[in-house]
Amino acid sequence: MGEWSSFTAVVRGLCLLYVTNKYLGTVTITYGPSMLPTLNVTGSMLLVERISTRTGKLRPGDVVIFRSPEAPRKIVCKRLIGLEGDQITYVVDPQSGDRCETIVVPKGHVWVEGDYIYNTKDSRNFGALPYGLLEGRAFWTLLPRKDFGPLTPKPE
Amino acid sequence: MLPTLNVTGSMLLVERISTRTGKLRPGDVVIFRSPEAPRKIVCKRLIGLEGDQITYVVDPQSGDRCETIVVPKGHVWVEGDYIYNTKDSRNFGALPYGLLEGRAFWTLLPRKDFGPLTPKPE
């Protein structure tokens, strides 16, 4: 009987973990230069919550994770710049000048950009992101230790 | 999705394994999160996978003008079976694969349609 009760305890623990992961929040590890200086190049561990994306309470300036529209198995982390209906002016290619373009974010979509605009693949490359691809909002950095704390607004 | 699905409502059995493992094939009936209304789940037929060349009738009610496109990477092309009254990839473009929720493979209701979903009627 002892093995059975510990087995059910394990099953219950896994169910709780699954429900938490799917509906409440998760931990994600990011790497790459596209979100400098906010995130670390060699890797950051972020705490992500899924409630804001489910209830639709996201605001521009939030750091969000989403499923890449070009590589569906990849989870990408960028900053939310605009919601549907917002008018976005962006620099098309920062490395080759200051040419700007202005668009309105279509219905059911959002506009995301990396903080380090010189080396990032974001909505400037793949266009407005369908809202259904959003996975969660990152709100706290766990690692590296020196960055432990809430994620900051976009540096000017 | 006439005549495959019922106008007043069909209950379908949907499996999520094909979408997760990537084993979808053109002709499958899939459900996905609408790219224009993220809380809405839509059911259409998968016509093409990434890299496929799709020729489609732009507006069946106003003639036979066709357009051909290649489905971009990470996207799929979906169309309703009843092309005269459907909002599908012809309207909102190629669908990002990440929005797919599952593959419908069996009709439960209405009773007269009980059974596997058929390939697209010609």
Side-chain angles (χ1 to χ4, degrees), chain B:
Chain B
M1 281 291 288
L2 286 172
T4 310
L5 300 181
N6 202 10
V7 168
T8 46
S10 290
M11 183 182 285
L12 307 174
L13 212 51
V14 172
E15 52 97 351
R16 297 195 194 268
I17 298 173
S18 300
T19 38
R20 278 189 179 275
T21 56
K23 289 194 174 9
L24 286 173
R25 289 175 308 174
D28 286 343
V29 175
V30 293
I31 62 169
F32 54 92
R33 215 163 266 288
S34 163
E36 293 171 341
R39 301 240 173 141
K40 205 165 85 166
I41 302 285
V42 182
C43 181
K44 299 277 179 252
R45 198 177 288 269
L46 188 68
I47 302 294
L49 301 168
E50 67 182 13
D52 290 353
Q53 198 171 7
I54 306 286
T55 306
Y56 62 98
V57 181
V58 174
D59 191 4
Q61 297 193 351
S62 64
D64 274 335
R65 184 169 71 92
C66 286
E67 268 190 39
T68 303
I69 59 129
V70 175
V71 181
K73 192 169 175 308
H75 290 67
V76 296
W77 191 266
V78 292
E79 283 180 15
D81 284 352
Y82 190 63
I83 55 171
Y84 300 98
N85 188 0
T86 178
K87 269 218 185 99
D88 52 26
S89 283
R90 276 175 292 192
N91 305 100
F92 51 69
L95 183 76
Y97 192 96
L99 290 176
L100 289 173
E101 294 273 323
R103 182 180 74 96
F105 64 102
W106 197 272
T107 309
L108 298 168
L109 292 174
R111 298 279 303 272
K112 63 175 175 69
D113 292 336
F114 188 88
L117 281 159
T118 51
K120 181 168 178 175
E122 287 308 318

Side-chain angles (χ1 to χ4, degrees), chain A residues 70-88:
Chain A
E70 293 172 339
R73 302 244 171 133
K74 205 164 85 163
I75 302 285
V76 182
C77 181
K78 298 277 177 264
R79 198 177 289 270
L80 186 68
I81 301 294
L83 300 169
E84 68 183 12
D86 290 352
Q87 198 171 7
I88 306 286

Side-chain angles (χ1 to χ4, degrees), chain A residues 32-48:
Chain A
S34 67
M35 283 292 287
L36 285 171
T38 310
L39 300 181
N40 203 11
V41 169
T42 44
S44 289
M45 184 182 285
L46 307 174
L47 211 51
V48 171

Side-chain angles (χ1 to χ4, degrees), chain A residues 26-143:
Chain A
T26 183
V27 170
T28 187
I29 298 176
T30 63
Y31 59 92
S34 67
M35 283 292 287
L36 285 171
T38 310
L39 300 181
N40 203 11
V41 169
T42 44
S44 289
M45 184 182 285
L46 307 174
L47 211 51
V48 171
E49 53 96 352
R50 298 198 194 271
I51 299 173
S52 300
T53 37
R54 278 188 178 275
T55 58
K57 288 192 175 12
L58 287 172
R59 289 175 307 173
D62 286 343
V63 175
V64 293
I65 61 169
F66 54 91
R67 218 163 263 289
S68 164
E70 293 172 339
R73 302 244 171 133
K74 205 164 85 163
I75 302 285
V76 182
C77 181
K78 298 277 177 264
R79 198 177 289 270
L80 186 68
I81 301 294
L83 300 169
E84 68 183 12
D86 290 352
Q87 198 171 7
I88 306 286
T89 306
Y90 62 99
V91 181
V92 174
D93 191 5
Q95 297 194 353
S96 64
D98 273 337
R99 186 170 68 92
C100 287
E101 268 192 41
T102 303
I103 59 126
V104 175
V105 182
K107 192 170 177 304
H109 290 67
V110 296
W111 191 266
V112 291
E113 284 181 15
D115 283 353
Y116 190 61
I117 55 173
Y118 300 97
N119 188 358
T120 178
K121 268 221 188 98
D122 52 26
S123 283
R124 277 178 289 194
N125 305 101
F126 52 69
L129 182 76
Y131 192 95
L133 290 176
L134 289 173
E135 294 274 324
R137 181 180 75 96
F139 65 100
W140 197 271
T141 309
L142 297 169
L143 292 174

